[in-house]
Amino acid sequence: TGETMGETMTDSKITTSVKSKLAVDQASSLSRSVSDHEGHCSMTGVVENAATKEKAASVARSVDGVKNVVNNLQIQSAQ
């Protein structure tokens, strides 16, 4: 890949970092799953509103090692 070990974060470290930041910044989200493969972060689950969905993507993008975010979070429908 042309990157040194010091420049490359493992998928598990990226996933853990994203989950940790979301736990702090997204306390109001209902349910979500985060996975990462080679810097491509995928998020699925349910959140309360569009603002929370966008915030989650922004938080994920801010993590070192994340190259792309696929935001498949769904907004909870009103009951």
Side-chain angles (χ1 to χ4, degrees):
T1 63
E3 296 177 14
T4 66
M5 282 191 354
E7 294 171 334
T8 305
M9 286 186 71
T10 64
D11 291 341
S12 63
K13 286 184 180 180
I14 291 172
T15 298
T16 299
S17 294
V18 171
K19 286 181 176 181
S20 294
K21 282 192 168 194
L22 287 173
V24 170
D25 293 341
Q26 298 287 82
S28 64
S29 61
L30 302 172
S31 166
R32 68 183 169 269
S33 175
V34 176
S35 63
D36 179 80
H37 181 69
E38 296 179 356
H40 300 280
C41 180
S42 178
M43 298 187 300
T44 59
V46 180
V47 293
E48 293 174 338
N49 54 48
T52 301
K53 179 178 177 175
E54 288 304 313
K55 177 68 174 174
S58 177
V59 168
R61 280 188 214 92
S62 75
V63 172
D64 287 340
V66 172
K67 299 173 186 173
N68 181 47
V69 175
V70 178
N71 188 347
N72 290 322
L73 294 170
Q74 301 296 309
I75 299 167
Q76 180 184 32
S77 59
Q79 301 276 340

